[in-house]
Amino acid sequence: MAEQEASGRKPGAYFPRDRLRHPPAFTPGYKTSVTRSPQKPLVSLGQTLSEMTGPVFGHDELGPLDDDLIRNHAVSGDPIGERIIVHGHVMDENGRGLPGTLIEVWQANAGGRYRHTNDGYLAPLDPNFGGCGRCLTDDAGYYAFRTIKPGAYPWPNSTNSWRPAHIHFSIFGRAFCQRLITQLYFEGDPLIPLCPIAQTIPDPRAIDGLTARLDMNAAEPFDCLAYRFDIVLRGRRSTLFENRLAGN
Amino acid sequence: MPTRVPDLRETASQTAGPYVHIGLVPAATGIHVLDRTVTNVVVRPDTPGEHITIEGVVHDGEGMPVRDAVLESWQADASGRHAHPEDPSGSADIRGFGRMAADFGTGVYSLHTVKPGPVPGRDGVMQAPHISFWIVARGINVGLHTRLYFSDELERNAADPILASIGSPDRRKTLIADRTLRDGKPLYRFDIHLQGDRETVFFDI
Ligand SMILES: [Fe+3]
């Protein structure tokens, strides 16, 4: 708040979502989208308080192992697989770090199997791996968690569809209109260009933005490799105090 | 390593996929490692306002229930206040954020909350009481935003600027939850149709 007073501006409406940046709803290469994609145009809604506010989360809601998927489901030891740190910066489209952003992640184990009632893949569950975690960004918008690199897995789409290794990310900004779910892929994975879900995104630069980079500087020697994954949420205009009305 | 020039455009969305429950509602699939503070119960027994239940099913284009859907809700309290520093109306009675998983068998989701009060819209025009919904599932590439309005708010609904911006009365009707009573308690039915004659209005917000 002090920053806003100093600049004489306060935050205004969020930038419109660039729909060309995102996958369209109807993507027949990803078959499930065919019956689950709205066919009528979205109705544009001028943002109100309902869209420009959203749930706020605090550190007191998180447990001490929530950001450590290597330990938070461990029963008899560490899970099998490649130990990694995933970290990055959550920014808005103005390049400002976003503190207090809740990130929730879920993923398959090293063999490509999810701990989920509906996953029947033949790869085994790992008794020491749950596959879910969460963390909050710090005062500058940085986050980190520790996990096992997930394996690729087959899925029923075409007869031989395989998902590249990926981690699902759910991200809250400060406003309900910033709500986002996406997936992290790993640099150099040859399955990315073959994946019907990754390829729902028309812009290759946007897919590149979902591809985490190996980050040797953040690796823990003799313990963990590291990948860097930055996230950009919708930015917003600044509005002058004096001559603009709230919510405009 | 070369420094990457940051691409300051919004990160692209991807589907939540069929296993979204592990991350957002782990208890639904038998995982209890994270103690969740977000559930489908938004109220405490002593929360001021009318306590209501909302129930419904998300349907796909073939009329089948989307049994893997996860929904989130965001709303003001019974006095029209949001629990957010940018709401000037003061501190709210509830956080107002709910998260619901459709039942794996029936596809029914439910939300236990208070009926929100009217909240200010743009240019000082009041909005009818409403709850914002966000829907994700396998096959949904970008989470879908919609709004629930209440069937017993005829006058306020008629004056609501967002409802008014939807031309067709039939389409407007897709946002109205029908009020009934069950065991003497208010129950609203809010079904969501992803496609077809009754396709729900989804918003670009
Ligand atoms: Fe997955």
Side-chain angles (χ1 to χ4, degrees):
Chain A
M1 293 302 121
E3 180 197 332
Q4 292 161 21
E5 281 160 22
S7 67
R9 287 166 180 270
K10 66 175 186 175
Y14 284 83
F15 301 153
R17 186 160 256 169
D18 178 1
R19 294 279 163 184
L20 298 176
R21 184 80 175 156
H22 295 283
F26 178 75
T27 48
Y30 172 28
K31 291 179 184 173
T32 316
S33 76
V34 171
T35 57
R36 293 183 170 194
S37 44
Q39 294 169 327
K40 296 182 164 58
L42 300 178
V43 173
S44 295
L45 185 156
Q47 291 158 18
T48 71
L49 265 185
S50 310
E51 290 74 37
M52 294 168 66
T53 58
V56 176
F57 299 95
H59 286 277
D60 54 332
E61 291 177 70
L62 272 59
L65 291 179
D66 284 7
D67 62 356
D68 189 356
L69 286 76
I70 291 181
R71 290 282 157 75
N72 69 18
H73 197 271
V75 179
S76 57
D78 284 356
I80 300 288
E82 184 179 327
R83 302 158 68 87
I84 59 172
I85 292 164
V86 176
H87 76 114
H89 196 198
V90 182
M91 292 162 282
D92 69 11
E93 291 169 294
N94 296 311
R96 280 188 288 249
L98 297 176
T101 302
L102 180 67
I103 296 177
E104 296 163 291
V105 295
W106 67 100
Q107 63 167 91
N109 67 23
R113 174 79 183 271
Y114 282 95
R115 185 171 289 280
H116 192 287
T117 323
N118 298 335
D119 187 1
Y121 180 36
L122 56 79
L125 286 172
D126 183 331
N128 294 312
F129 194 70
C132 57
R134 54 186 174 173
C135 56
L136 272 182
T137 59
D138 67 15
D139 290 346
Y142 290 93
Y143 75 93
F145 61 91
R146 192 168 78 140
T147 188
I148 293 293
K149 190 174 176 193
Y153 61 84
W155 59 297
N157 189 59
S158 64
T159 51
N160 196 19
S161 295
W162 291 74
R163 295 303 323 280
H166 62 279
I167 301 176
H168 296 268
F169 271 65
S170 156
I171 308 124
F172 287 85
R174 286 175 62 83
F176 208 52
C177 71
Q178 288 178 305
R179 193 77 181 83
L180 182 71
I181 279 183
T182 189
Q183 301 184 25
L184 169 159
Y185 301 106
F186 292 89
E187 177 177 19
D189 189 332
L191 288 170
I192 298 171
L194 305 180
C195 175
I197 289 179
Q199 299 302 322
T200 58
I201 299 172
D203 181 349
R205 289 167 301 181
I207 299 175
D208 188 60
L210 299 185
T211 308
R213 266 37 180 200
L214 182 68
D215 182 359
M216 290 308 291
N217 291 334
E220 294 280 351
F222 300 99
D223 182 341
C224 259
L225 276 173
Y227 284 86
R228 167 126 186 177
F229 183 60
D230 292 339
I231 295 163
V232 181
L233 299 183
R234 291 167 68 175
R236 61 195 305 191
R237 298 203 307 253
S238 295
T239 305
L240 285 171
F241 268 121
E242 286 77 22
N243 53 6
R244 300 296 288 269
L245 295 171
N248 185 24
Chain B
M1 270 193 311
T3 308
R4 299 175 71 209
V5 178
D7 181 355
L8 287 178
R9 285 179 298 164
E10 189 186 16
T11 298
S13 172
Q14 290 270 262
T15 180
Y19 308 124
V20 56
H21 314 87
I22 297 172
L24 303 193
V25 275
T29 191
I31 300 176
H32 297 281
V33 297
L34 309 184
D35 185 18
R36 289 288 157 165
T37 46
V38 175
T39 68
N40 67 336
V41 182
V42 176
V43 278
R44 298 175 311 273
D46 62 344
T47 302
E50 185 182 28
H51 290 214
I52 61 172
T53 296
I54 295 162
E55 261 183 20
V57 172
V58 181
H59 297 279
D60 71 13
E62 291 170 334
M64 297 296 290
V66 177
R67 294 177 299 176
D68 55 293
V70 170
L71 301 90
E72 290 181 348
S73 64
W74 173 244
Q75 66 172 94
D77 70 5
S79 304
R81 299 173 300 207
H82 297 91
H84 191 277
E86 288 178 40
D87 189 327
S89 55
S91 69
D93 295 323
I94 50 167
R95 173 149 76 178
F97 177 61
R99 187 178 267 172
M100 306 77 89
D103 182 89
F104 288 167
T106 62
V108 175
Y109 76 85
S110 65
L111 174 67
H112 305 281
T113 185
V114 284
K115 193 175 167 193
V119 300
R122 291 156 71 86
D123 307 320
V125 179
M126 289 305 282
Q127 306 185 74
H130 63 274
I131 299 179
S132 299
F133 272 69
W134 190 69
I135 303 125
V136 295
R138 181 170 64 97
I140 296 177
N141 288 330
V142 185
L144 297 168
H145 285 277
T146 189
R147 280 184 173 201
L148 175 157
Y149 287 85
F150 298 88
S151 65
D152 53 322
E153 291 284 351
L154 288 176
E155 270 179 43
R156 284 172 171 150
N157 288 347
D160 182 84
I162 305 294
L163 284 175
S165 73
I166 302 164
S168 142
D170 280 349
R171 298 225 69 210
R172 230 176 284 156
K173 228 164 52 183
T174 66
L175 303 185
I176 314 288
D178 278 321
R179 181 184 176 105
T180 55
L181 291 176
R182 185 167 62 195
D183 304 329
K185 292 178 183 143
L187 172 74
Y188 289 89
R189 179 81 190 184
F190 188 52
D191 288 330
I192 290 163
H193 297 269
L194 300 178
Q195 290 182 354
D197 294 345
R198 289 181 290 169
E199 182 178 312
T200 298
V201 169
F202 299 106
F203 291 108
D204 190 9
I205 65 173

